[in-house]
Amino acid sequence: MHHGPLDGLLIADFSRILAGPYATMLLADLGAEVIKVESPSGDDTRTWVPPARDGVSTYYLGINRNKRSIALDFGVEEDLRLAKELAARADIVIENFKPGGLRRFGLDYQTVSKRNPALIYASISGFGSGAGASLPGYDLLVQAASGLMSLTGDADGPPYRAGISVFDVMTGMHATIGILAALNHRNATGAGQHVEVNLLSSALSALVNHTSAYVSGGVVPHRMGNAHPSLFPYEPLPTADKDLIVIAGNDGQFRKLCHELDLPELLDDPRFATNEARTHNRAALRPLLVSKLRERPADEWFKRLTAAGVPCGPINHVDGGVALAEELGLDPVITVDELPMIRNPITFSATRTRHDLPPPGLDEHGSQIRAWLKETTR
């Protein structure tokens, strides 16, 4: 029998694409029962190929395990009745329709909570439910509008998007945090509530030091390639064969780096005595470090500097990242019904995560769920 921390909770998942499904997969991994409600045409990501595995989009596969699927057409009276019944029985509803989009079906929070006042109802949007309600919530738009793209890329090159839909993922995490907080409130009071998150607010929070630089310091950050505005070294540096990430996050690490590079004279140089000084004088310091790093290959420096307590590491492709996690005993890959997947990253000392159900086919569990919803046990 499964003993996950969220055992016994029922989630009605009316979301699609990434932010919502990622949140519901995290919650399902923790033990919640998730019923994925799809339109008859299915979640958009089912068709986002290539790549695919056995004809199914790996995008869809990556964020939809531990769920059961039912296809419902809200324009059909019986299907809408079943959707309302599901929301009435659920502990949690998650949706990412345009704000107000479920109101005409009677599936909005105000309507559903009248029948189910203990319900926690989470809404995910692109730009909030106010003046930005009509704006479409695509991650790329938010990467552009929030300022992230202005920070990504070479200083003299064009803005770039991040390599993943980073704000969809972060907003999914924020939705999960909000739901768990609301669950704690419900445990204390018995009352549910409406939790709202949006990509732009999550983005501004996730830009951390950069948004802080602006709102607290009046500084508008700019692109610096792989350099850091407040630390040096904290970037890829060339070696004899390839680039190596080298970090000196404090004065102690910088002293160790200088020792391993046989550059003791730098320790007495006032231009490099503190992090602030090193950051201001990076143009003078960088070539001094590089001249030594070029004497040996990256793998040799990686072993030597790591042993000395200097943070550094290779720049891998994704396969290398998975391989490193395996090498470190992190067991990144689990198999769910013969499907290899990246496991939930959280471990618990008293409970466990689950990886039981493979991502469902469209309406795979429809007949079973319909029969259950038609029962009059509630």
Side-chain angles (χ1 to χ4, degrees):
M1 183 176 178
H2 180 70
H3 294 288
L6 298 183
D7 276 3
L9 293 174
L10 175 63
I11 298 177
D13 182 5
F14 293 104
S15 71
R16 57 207 186 280
I17 314 293
L18 178 51
Y22 184 69
T24 54
M25 183 179 74
L26 294 177
L27 296 166
D29 289 349
L30 300 181
E33 175 73 20
V34 174
I35 295 179
K36 182 177 178 67
V37 178
E38 301 183 71
S39 71
S41 59
D43 190 315
D44 291 8
T45 60
R46 290 182 180 276
T47 63
W48 287 9
V49 293
R53 180 184 176 94
D54 299 329
V56 181
S57 160
T58 58
Y59 196 121
Y60 170 80
L61 293 176
I63 48 176
N64 282 289
R65 69 166 166 256
N66 286 331
K67 305 174 188 181
R68 294 186 294 155
S69 169
I70 181 173
L72 295 175
D73 184 346
F74 295 165
V76 174
E77 184 177 353
E78 174 62 9
D79 279 10
L80 181 57
R81 189 187 72 80
L82 293 177
K84 291 179 178 178
E85 179 64 23
L86 175 60
R89 298 187 186 192
D91 295 285
I92 301 159
V93 165
I94 300 182
E95 60 90 13
N96 62 353
F97 285 73
K98 278 191 178 180
L102 288 176
R103 190 173 299 124
R104 64 191 177 103
F105 299 111
L107 287 169
D108 57 301
Y109 173 68
Q110 287 72 19
T111 304
V112 172
S113 63
K114 289 176 183 175
R115 184 176 172 190
N116 185 0
L119 177 69
I120 293 163
Y121 188 110
S123 296
I124 301 171
S125 65
F127 297 89
S129 57
S134 64
L135 299 175
Y138 285 92
D139 183 273
L140 180 58
L141 296 180
V142 179
Q143 288 199 32
S146 67
L148 176 65
M149 287 180 63
S150 77
L151 300 169
T152 309
D154 290 331
D156 56 354
Y160 270 95
R161 66 179 287 268
I164 63 162
S165 295
V166 61
F167 294 139
D168 270 329
V169 173
M170 291 182 179
T171 306
M173 291 179 179
H174 288 156
T176 303
I177 293 167
I179 288 165
L180 296 176
L183 279 170
N184 189 60
H185 176 262
R186 188 179 78 174
N187 289 341
T189 66
Q193 62 180 303
H194 192 189
V195 176
E196 293 187 73
V197 295
N198 67 82
L199 271 68
L200 182 58
S201 293
S202 287
L204 296 179
S205 174
L207 286 173
V208 287
N209 55 302
H210 294 296
T211 38
S212 179
Y214 172 63
V215 300
S216 299
V219 173
V220 178
H222 57 274
R223 281 191 300 288
M224 298 179 63
N226 287 313
H228 193 288
S230 308
L231 286 173
F232 186 84
Y234 191 97
E235 62 187 63
L237 294 175
T239 68
D241 58 349
K242 58 186 178 182
D243 283 359
L244 181 73
I245 298 293
V246 178
I247 295 172
N250 56 52
D251 295 342
Q253 290 173 351
F254 182 67
R255 285 193 293 272
K256 292 173 182 176
L257 175 63
C258 291
H259 176 76
E260 293 303 318
L261 295 183
D262 193 25
L263 290 170
E265 66 274 13
L266 300 189
L267 298 177
D268 298 321
D269 192 321
R271 295 176 299 168
F272 314 132
T274 65
N275 173 69
E276 184 177 5
R278 290 189 292 276
T279 302
H280 280 305
N281 295 293
R282 70 175 75 214
L285 178 55
R286 192 177 193 276
L288 299 176
L289 301 178
V290 169
S291 66
K292 291 291 188 176
L293 288 167
R294 285 193 184 278
E295 294 176 0
R296 302 170 186 266
D299 289 345
E300 188 174 334
W301 281 123
F302 176 43
K303 295 173 184 174
R304 180 169 171 172
L305 294 177
T306 298
V310 178
C312 66
I315 303 174
N316 291 324
H317 290 95
V318 173
D319 57 346
V322 173
L324 177 60
E326 290 173 338
E327 181 184 329
L328 298 175
L330 298 178
D331 301 323
V333 180
I334 45 89
T335 301
V336 183
D337 194 26
E338 301 184 355
L339 173 67
M341 302 187 74
I342 296 297
R343 74 168 180 88
N344 188 291
I346 306 169
T347 58
F348 298 89
S349 63
T351 56
R352 68 182 183 92
T353 54
R354 67 176 177 133
H355 307 94
D356 300 336
L357 300 175
L362 178 60
D363 201 42
E364 179 178 341
H365 309 90
S367 59
Q368 172 191 10
I369 297 170
R370 284 172 186 271
W372 172 70
L373 289 173
K374 290 176 181 177
E375 295 174 1
T376 56
T377 54
R378 174 157 176 160

